Amino acid sequence: MAGATDMTDSTDSTDSSKSLQAEIKQAIVRSLRLPIAPEEIDTSTPLFGDGLGLDSIDVLELVLELERGFGVSISDEQTGTKVLYSVETIASFIMTERRKNPA
């Protein structure tokens, strides 16, 4: 029976990750006023440079949005560089932070 529970936990985790990724995409488009639909952002596409093309001004807006909307803090540039790479990396960071500090 434990196998069935493990499978459900895994499915729940995947579903919550996909839901979180969708929320992040919406937050990115809304806060940066991007002229695209959230669904057009691939979860693994780099947000900066040749990917989505965000710049240093966008970083500030995005960090503020993540703090306001998701309750996570990006404390330094090194962390920000890793976390803000893609929607996947942002989602992973938020999930890790939420496990450390459950509401």
Side-chain angles (χ1 to χ4, degrees):
M1 220 53 205
T5 303
D6 292 343
M7 187 67 130
T8 302
D9 290 346
S10 174
T11 302
D12 289 347
S13 176
T14 301
D15 289 347
S16 65
S17 176
K18 291 204 181 304
S19 175
L20 179 58
Q21 289 174 358
E23 286 180 56
I24 292 166
K25 290 177 187 183
Q26 290 171 352
I28 290 170
V29 169
R30 182 183 61 249
S31 67
L32 301 178
R33 295 172 187 83
L34 298 179
I36 60 173
E39 304 79 42
E40 292 180 50
I41 301 173
D42 187 270
T43 57
S44 61
T45 296
L47 298 178
F48 298 89
D50 291 337
L52 201 54
L54 303 184
D55 61 25
S56 58
I57 302 294
D58 296 325
V59 169
L60 298 174
E61 289 293 328
L62 190 51
V63 167
L64 288 172
E65 180 63 27
L66 293 175
E67 288 177 355
R68 278 191 307 255
F70 298 94
V72 295
S73 179
I74 297 173
S75 55
D76 58 65
E77 188 176 336
Q78 204 169 17
T79 302
T81 300
K82 285 189 271 187
V83 171
L84 300 176
Y85 180 76
S86 69
V87 170
E88 284 176 337
T89 57
I90 294 171
S92 177
F93 176 74
I94 291 171
M95 291 173 77
T96 299
E97 291 298 301
R98 286 179 177 171
R99 280 193 291 271
K100 282 190 214 171
N101 307 308

